[in-house]
Amino acid sequence: MPNLSRITYYLPQNILTNDQLEKEYDSWSATKIYRKTGIENRHTAKGEKTSDMAVKAAEELFRSNPEITKDDIDFLILCTQSPDYFLPTTACLVQERLGLSRKVGAFDFNLGCSGYIYGLLLASSLIQATQSRNVLLLTSEKYCRYIHPQDRSTRTIFGDGATATLISETKGFATLDAFDWGTDGSGAKNLIVPAGGDALPCSSETAKEQTDDSGNIRSLNNIYMNGPEIFAFTLDTVPITIERVLKKASLEMGDIDFFVFHQANKFMLETLRVKLNISEEKFIIDMKDYGNTVSSTIPIAVENARRKKLFHNGAKILLAGFGVGYSWGSAILTWKE
């Protein structure tokens, strides 16, 4: 059974606070921003590339766990939607900078809020297929490069950051027991950077700014999020993937000791918690000082809970990621510490 072995994370030093945002947005106070999002601070990567953050997260994993060497790694997987280049693959750049063996397999995959679940699934599959023994899964996201400074709907929510997770054949603090996943591309338009790819190359036309009905300013080069549609999708989809992953693991809702969902925003999470009838003590919310770091939210929350010793030996933990794509996934872990 593949094991979740180690998690570390890196957050850029530059911090964007609610007090700073209050000075920029006339009608939004710091208190209002926190009340709507559950976020007080978010880190932004100024002068740092996605690969820089990924390397720093990985180097911290090796530094803080000297029993793990770079020679132990035989596969590198990097989840990002903000690659350094269209090509080459950012994972290849990270492999070279980390000094990993040239025998290491390395690739990127482009997923957002469900990305960590998919990464665990990919790593687990490589190990179960006996193609790997130790997989280094990196998540690194720099959404700030897509956000218009006058778009409150996204700037108040998203933060940048990276995580490193070691998935091992033999050793770890949790086993990876079951997975579920799904996709609905009909929702692609509701969380999107419209310009920049082959469908709509950047141009002077795509750079023209527009103001929406809520007073947010953005161009087609910036990220757009339809909050109400994303909210409705989440409330419809998350209960379904939870039901499916529980069935795959032969468990009931009451068997789960802790729930760690993608940290989208506090209001959405609390609505899900109430709908699913999950008690507060079982439900992890951990975004106040980071914001929505996309594919990095779940591993950051799990690692912080581990440091606080919130999880006990034998605990069943359900992870769920959901968002851009639309894409979603869930996983069940059994804690071993």
Side-chain angles (χ1 to χ4, degrees), residues 13 127 220:
Q13 291 187 349
I127 291 171
L220 294 175

Side-chain angles (χ1 to χ4, degrees), residues 81 143 145-148 151-155 157-158 187-195 210-214 216-230 323-326:
Q81 295 190 308
Y143 264 34
R145 75 190 242 192
Y146 301 130
I147 295 174
H148 192 287
D151 185 359
R152 294 173 303 190
S153 68
T154 55
R155 195 172 179 218
I157 292 175
F158 291 106
K189 63 184 180 297
N190 291 320
L191 186 48
I192 189 172
V193 180
Q210 296 181 336
T211 303
D212 67 17
D213 294 339
S214 300
N216 298 305
I217 300 172
R218 72 180 74 87
S219 75
L220 294 175
N221 296 342
N222 302 124
I223 192 169
Y224 163 74
M225 181 174 66
N226 186 330
E229 287 295 327
I230 296 292
V324 57
Y326 295 140

Side-chain angles (χ1 to χ4, degrees), residues 83-93 108:
D84 285 13
Y85 305 98
F86 284 123
L87 58 97
T89 302
T90 305
C92 295
L93 307 178
D108 294 353

Side-chain angles (χ1 to χ4, degrees), residues 187-206:
K189 63 184 180 297
N190 291 320
L191 186 48
I192 189 172
V193 180
D198 196 39
L200 183 62
C202 289
S203 66
S204 58
E205 287 299 312
T206 66

Side-chain angles (χ1 to χ4, degrees), residues 104-166:
V104 166
F107 64 87
D108 294 353
F109 69 102
N110 181 327
L111 274 179
C113 311
S114 65
Y116 189 66
I117 305 298
Y118 277 73
L120 293 178
L121 173 60
L122 288 167
S124 179
S125 299
L126 284 166
I127 291 171
Q128 289 182 316
T130 69
Q131 298 304 302
S132 181
R133 298 186 64 190
N134 295 288
V135 179
L136 180 61
L137 168 62
L138 305 178
T139 64
S140 187
E141 209 59 79
K142 187 179 175 180
Y143 264 34
C144 73
R145 75 190 242 192
Y146 301 130
I147 295 174
H148 192 287
Q150 291 301 311
D151 185 359
R152 294 173 303 190
S153 68
T154 55
R155 195 172 179 218
T156 56
I157 292 175
F158 291 106
D160 300 332
T163 71
T165 301
L166 178 66

Side-chain angles (χ1 to χ4, degrees), residues 76-108:
L76 168 64
I77 303 175
L78 173 61
C79 177
T80 186
Q81 295 190 308
S82 53
D84 285 13
Y85 305 98
F86 284 123
L87 58 97
T89 302
T90 305
C92 295
L93 307 178
V94 172
Q95 174 271 334
E96 191 274 334
R97 288 182 57 187
L98 286 175
L100 301 182
S101 167
R102 291 171 65 183
K103 296 180 181 179
V104 166
F107 64 87
D108 294 353

Side-chain angles (χ1 to χ4, degrees), residues 326-337:
Y326 295 140
S327 173
W328 61 90
S330 55
I332 292 178
L333 318 178
T334 300
W335 206 254
K336 300 197 299 182
E337 284 188 329

